């Protein structure tokens, strides 16, 4: 029985939807719907977390992938009403009979086939028609991710198969005439499907139109009289064997080669098998394709045809000219060559009919260049290489070559220069292939230069390259790229693609290399270049199609290392320093706008949002994963280096990251950038920027348990904020100072600072700050034995957070309520509160809150006299704290864990954990060191 609410119905055969009665349920953003689609395709079965992550992002998921999947699952569970259940590290969606359109589609087709077996074609035809009417467009329309693409292709093939079954039944029932138009359209949509052409010819013949029936592809003319056997070459023409030379040092790519061999080896396919190999210039596409084709010779005894289509040259190959060459190799003499390209293509396909021939189409420009060269006979196969993505090519297998792994790149270098030279200088050899970025062309050029200079040591060659771009400058090709052909240097290889760009595309390509970030999303790239998103997307997709950029995720772009260096060199040539600085300022301003939106979403109603003033009118909340935060920090520092007067903008950008840093706990990454910005603010006497940056620096040091440094930074920051009349920020500084004093167990000073923060926040209208101060003050109030005040602070904080829609504030208030319950002797209530808070923290993307709650839950189990439960919870807390790199939390967890182990009688493990705790606590000068030491000493007494 389904666990979803009664009346829920799911649709996969079109856009993914869920209905309850007549209402369409909100399923969230495309990636969340893609997760739902994966679960629906595997309905009632458990899909592991790793499989879900791989299905959404492929081989390069973000660091936040686990949290994102869990967040999607939680939101779907709330919408669907409980049918989505957790099983270990996976999820299953319980779908009952009749609740999924795909299931009903399958049921109707099974029933139809039963009617065929029973001799009732009319009933079978009607059932198949009903099944096909359920499709509302392409299955899983608009969903991102590799798994959605795979399922979309599978379901499209399923629909076409069932459609052809229905057509065959229509033909059996005598509906020839009315099928012609439908089948003609289907043949145009699927030009390589022989079964469709056969059905169309049967419809034409059955409808009395025999003359129009033929088995050649739609649009191709019949062979001309000049193409008769009497006009061909003598019968003893050799089998074409056009594959070029493969370097004897071909290395690696074993898995890719296996994939291609498996796909291309004949298996009685219904259509021509086409495989496409893509990748950037110099990645080794041609060598791989020719090597693979050579290994398939025995499977294609009628020959191998090869053409270099010169896709990235100024003079790409004309398909008509390539057809002429292929026809000559197949025995057609020049007088018999048709002049018209379509007639030439028809003759070519006729010549290939029934033959086992493998075609290698190298360096294709686009799908239009390839289509006339595709055979019509399924006995043939095609292997295509291109820098372009060839999105319109009907390929059975697509492979995108990546750089060589370090071990394979090193093996390639060894095969060129000699294994003995690699063995003599292994560290230098590894450094050299790393400089080559794993690009086979760069490794070959470096190896060839060394191979002709046997007296050179690898260390000498590396010194020669010091200060130069490894695969672009001298030593890796001619001084004037392009004079010695495209393989003369890596730079010349890249320039072939670069020269195909128009001015706008080339400018964006160059500017993409200016910021020191691993990736840029569409909005950031548009801001960088000062373009509207639609125009930027057109440019970026063109760059990606040409292999000049990679797109690891939808609307996200990055360079291969050497292409990034190539783009940076072009920017230095083509863009002035002022233009590059202006691009960085636009990007930093955009990042501030996005961070401000994220701040507003995480801290609703916080007055600071109105005090962050980017030039950009509005951004979109950016991803708060580590890579995005690190990118913002890198751009902030780089912008400041280029324009120190922008310190106010950069200080605001760092301040806007506060919630994201709190959620990700990447405080350590903030230290160096914050100190750099603070130094500039002080040098320029910008007290507002100094106060804001000093606050963030002090926050980071406090979270990291470095309380003495934090106190100094926060003291200076408060003075600057007061001088700048920046009272909203001053409220936050006072709270942070109180937390730092609390960390030192200075409860009286912490209490005074919390009260001052509440007063300051009330005076300046910082209600969020006053709520936060109350919630944080609970531990201090409990230590001062002011239990009623602590409970009241919790209640006020929880009410304010819920009324304001503040998820973090709600979770923190629940955490504080758990502490109050523990101190009041209500351990079970404390555990429940902490688990509720932790769940909110996980859903909201606040891993630090999860750690805090696990630690306090451990303490609650200890207080209740349940050491075994405390051990289990403490182990989970330790893992979570280590995952964040939160040393102070690790220290406190180890102390509690050691105490719990001692209470459960496991003294050996208790000593280990307490010794570890003591080392951390003493290093951080935390007051709990005395407690850990006391428990450890008790274990040394006789009888223990």
């Amino acid at each position: 029985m389904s666990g979803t609410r009664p009346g829920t119905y799911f649709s996969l055969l079109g856009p993914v939807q869920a209905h309850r009665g007549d209402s369409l349920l909100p399923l969230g953003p495309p990636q969340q719907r893609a997760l739902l689609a994966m679960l629906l395709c595997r309905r009632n079965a458990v899909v592991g977390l790793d499989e879900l992550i791989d299905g959404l992002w492929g081989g390069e998921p973000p660091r936040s992938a686990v949290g994102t999947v869990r967040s999607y699952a939680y939101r779907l569970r709330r919408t669907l009403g409980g049918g989505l259940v957790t099983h270990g590290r996976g999820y299953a969606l319980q779908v009952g009979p009749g609740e999924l359109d795909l299931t009903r589609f399958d049921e109707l087709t099974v029933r139809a086939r039963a009617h065929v077996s029973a001799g009732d074609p009319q009933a079978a035809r009607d059932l198949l028609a009903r099944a096909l009417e359920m499709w509302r467009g392409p299955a899983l329309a608009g969903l991102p991710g590799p798994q959605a693409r795979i399922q979309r292709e599978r379901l499209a093939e399923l629909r076409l198969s069932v459609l052809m079954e229905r057509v065959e039944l229509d033909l059996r029932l005598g509906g020839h005439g009315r099928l012609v138009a439908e089948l003609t359209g289907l043949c145009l949509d699927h030009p390589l499907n022989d079964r469709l052409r056969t059905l169309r010819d049967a419809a034409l013949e059955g409808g009395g139109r025999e003359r129009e029936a033929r088995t050649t592809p739609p649009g191709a003319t019949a062979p001309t009289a000049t193409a008769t056997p009497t006009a061909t070459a003598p019968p003893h023409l050799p089998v074409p064997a056009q594959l070029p030379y493969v370097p004897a040092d071909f290395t690696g790519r074993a898995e890719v080669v296996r994939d291609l061999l498996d796909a291309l080896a004949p298996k009685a396919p219904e259509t021509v098998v086409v495989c496409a190999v893509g990748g950037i210039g110099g990645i080794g596409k041609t060598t791989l394709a020719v090597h693979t084709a050579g290994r398939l010779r025995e499977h294609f005894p009628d020959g191998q045809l090869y053409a270099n289509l010169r896709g990235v040259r100024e003079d790409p190959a004309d398909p008509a000219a390539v057809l002429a060459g292929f026809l000559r190799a197949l025995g057609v003499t020049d007088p018999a060559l048709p002049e018209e390209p379509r007639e030439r293509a028809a003759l070519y396909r006729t010549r290939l009919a029934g033959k086992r021939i493998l075609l290698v189409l190298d360096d294709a420009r686009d799908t239009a260049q390839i289509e006339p060269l595709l055979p019509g006979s399924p006995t043939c196969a095609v292997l295509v290489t291109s820098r372009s993505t060839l999105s319109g090519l009907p390929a059975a297998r697509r492979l995108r070559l990546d750089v060589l792994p370090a071990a394979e790149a090193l093996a390639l270098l060894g095969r060129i220069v000699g294994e003995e030279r690699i063995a003599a200088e292994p560290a230098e050899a590894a450094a050299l292939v790393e400089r080559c970025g794993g690009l086979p062309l760069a490794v070959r050029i470096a190896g060839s230069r060394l191979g002709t200079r046997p007296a050179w040591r690898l260390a000498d060659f590396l010194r020669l390259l010091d200060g130069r771009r490894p695969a672009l400058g001298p030593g890796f090709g001619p001084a004037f790229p392009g004079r010695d052909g495209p393989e003369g240097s890596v730079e010349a290889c890249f320039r072939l693609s670069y020269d195909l760009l128009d001015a706008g595309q080339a400018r964006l390509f160059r500017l993409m290399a200016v910021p020191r970030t691993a990736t840029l999303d569409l909005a950031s790239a548009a801001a960088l270049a000062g373009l509207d998103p639609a125009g930027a997307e057109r440019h970026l997709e063109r760059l990606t199609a040409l292999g000049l950029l990679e797109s690891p995720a939808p609307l996200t772009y990055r360079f291969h290392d050497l292409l990034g260096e190539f783009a940076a060199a072009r920017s230095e040539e083509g863009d002035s320093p002022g233009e590059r600085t202006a691009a960085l300022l636009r990007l930093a301003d955009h990042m501030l706008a996005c961070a401000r939106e994220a701040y507003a979403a995480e801290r609703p109603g916080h007055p600071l949002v109105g005090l962050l003033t980017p030039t950009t009118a509005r951004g979109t909340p950016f991803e708060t994963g580590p890579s995005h935060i690190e990118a913002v920090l890198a751009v902030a520092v780089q912008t400041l280096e280029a324009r120190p007067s922008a310190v106010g903008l950069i200080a605001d950008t760092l301040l806007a990251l506060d919630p994201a840093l709190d959620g990700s706990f990447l405080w350590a990454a903030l230290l160096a950038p914050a100190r750099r910005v603070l130094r500039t603010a002080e040098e320029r006497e910008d007290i507002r920027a100094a106060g804001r940056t000093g606050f963030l620096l002090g926050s980071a040091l406090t979270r990291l348990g470095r309380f003495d440094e934090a106190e100094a930074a926060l003291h200076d920051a408060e003075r600057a904020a007061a001088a700048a009349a920046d009272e909203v920020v001053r409220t936050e500084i006072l709270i942070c100072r109180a937390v730092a004093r609390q960390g030192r167990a200075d409860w009286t000073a912490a209490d005074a600072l919390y009260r001052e923060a509440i007063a300051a926040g009330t005076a300046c209208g910082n209600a969020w700050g006053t709520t936060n101060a109350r919630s944080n003050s609970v531990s201090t109030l409990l230590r001062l034995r002011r239990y009623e005040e602590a409970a009241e602070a919790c209640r006020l904080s929880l009410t304010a957070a819920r009324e304001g829609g503040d998820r973090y504030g709600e979770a923190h208030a629940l955490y504080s309520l758990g502490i109050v319950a523990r101190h009041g002797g209500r351990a079970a209530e404390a555990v429940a509160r902490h688990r509720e808070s932790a769940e909110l923290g996980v859903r909201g993307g606040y891993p630090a809150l999860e750690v805090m709650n696990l630690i306090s839950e451990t303490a609650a189990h200890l207080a209740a006299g349940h050491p075994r439960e405390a051990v289990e919870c403490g182990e989970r807390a330790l893992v979570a704290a280590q995952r964040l790199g939160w040393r102070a939390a690790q220290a406190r967890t180890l102390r509690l864990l050691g105490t719990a182990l001692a209470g459960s009688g496991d003294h050996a493990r208790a000593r280990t954990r307490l010794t570890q705790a003591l080392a951390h606590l003493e290093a951080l000068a935390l007051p709990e060191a005395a407690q850990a030491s006391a428990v450890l000493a008790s274990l040394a007494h006789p009888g223990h």
Side-chain angles (χ1 to χ4, degrees), residues 184-486:
T184 300
L186 287 170
C187 286
L188 290 172
D189 290 339
H190 305 278
L192 303 180
N193 193 303
D194 286 334
R195 186 178 171 193
L196 278 173
R197 290 201 298 272
T198 301
L199 290 171
R200 183 205 56 188
D201 290 349
L204 287 167
E205 291 170 0
R209 299 161 64 178
E210 293 87 348
R211 292 188 178 183
E212 298 178 49
R214 54 174 166 254
T215 56
T216 54
T221 59
T224 62
T226 58
T228 61
T230 58
T232 61
H236 301 296
L237 192 74
V239 170
Q242 297 184 341
L243 297 179
Y245 166 75
V246 180
D249 54 27
F250 178 82
T251 304
R253 307 291 195 197
E255 185 176 347
V256 177
V257 171
R258 279 197 302 272
D259 281 350
L260 290 174
L261 292 174
D262 179 66
L264 292 166
K267 300 180 183 69
E270 294 183 359
T271 60
V272 177
V273 174
V274 180
C275 290
V277 178
I280 65 174
I283 203 71
K285 301 181 295 295
T286 298
T287 305
L288 170 73
V290 176
H291 170 81
T292 304
R295 291 182 57 177
L296 287 164
R297 279 192 176 93
E298 64 182 50
H299 295 288
F300 295 94
D302 296 318
Q304 304 89 38
L305 298 173
Y306 173 88
N308 181 352
L309 301 181
R310 304 194 306 273
V312 292
R313 303 295 186 84
E314 293 180 359
D315 58 338
D318 180 357
V322 175
L323 284 170
F326 283 169
L327 284 168
R328 291 187 187 102
L330 294 168
V332 178
T333 60
D334 281 355
L337 284 174
E339 289 296 324
E340 285 295 319
R342 290 181 63 181
E343 293 180 3
R344 193 172 287 185
L347 176 58
Y348 162 70
R349 293 189 175 106
T350 300
R351 281 296 173 132
L352 291 180
K355 288 187 168 61
R356 293 195 176 277
I357 288 182
L358 175 63
L359 285 85
V360 179
L361 304 177
D362 192 21
D363 192 20
R365 190 183 193 94
D366 51 33
T367 304
Q369 189 189 33
I370 299 169
E371 283 178 338
L373 307 176
L374 296 177
S377 174
T379 55
C380 297
V382 183
L383 179 53
V384 182
T385 76
S386 178
R387 299 190 190 189
S388 174
T389 54
L390 302 177
S391 57
L393 184 69
R397 188 73 56 91
R398 291 180 182 276
L399 300 171
R400 189 82 182 168
L401 286 192
D402 202 349
V403 297
L404 287 174
E408 292 185 8
L410 198 60
L412 175 59
L413 181 65
R415 297 188 71 173
I416 299 171
V417 305
E419 295 295 341
E420 66 283 355
R421 295 177 76 178
I422 303 297
E425 298 178 89
E428 290 76 8
L432 181 55
V433 298
E434 183 180 356
R435 286 185 180 219
C436 293
L439 195 71
L441 176 59
V443 176
R444 288 186 186 282
I445 294 173
S448 298
R449 186 171 172 92
L450 283 166
T452 58
R453 294 162 176 82
W456 281 24
R457 295 173 61 246
L458 270 63
D460 296 331
F461 189 42
L462 281 169
R463 278 193 292 273
L464 177 66
L465 296 175
D466 282 346
R468 300 174 178 173
R469 290 185 182 82
L472 303 180
F476 281 88
F480 301 96
R483 285 190 179 179
D484 297 339

Side-chain angles (χ1 to χ4, degrees), residues 685-760:
E685 298 182 352
D686 188 331
I687 55 174
R688 178 178 172 277
R692 295 185 170 196
T693 309
F695 161 57
L696 258 292
L697 177 60
S699 292
L701 292 166
T702 300
R703 302 306 197 283
L704 296 171
R706 295 159 63 173
F707 297 118
D708 290 340
E709 295 174 76
E711 275 284 301
L714 291 166
H715 182 269
D716 292 344
E718 188 189 350
R719 284 195 307 172
D726 201 358
E727 287 299 300
V728 171
V729 174
R730 181 171 167 269
T731 304
E732 306 297 326
I733 295 172
L734 288 166
I735 297 169
C736 198
R737 286 190 63 195
V739 172
R741 295 316 307 165
Q742 197 169 266
R744 284 279 183 248
D746 188 349
W747 310 111
T748 302
D751 179 51
L753 285 164
Y754 280 129
R755 283 187 278 108
E756 188 178 356
I758 291 169

Side-chain angles (χ1 to χ4, degrees), residues 166 428 520 556 559 738 774 854:
R166 194 224 76 206
E428 290 76 8
L520 283 174
T556 302
F559 285 114
R774 285 195 183 95
L854 285 170

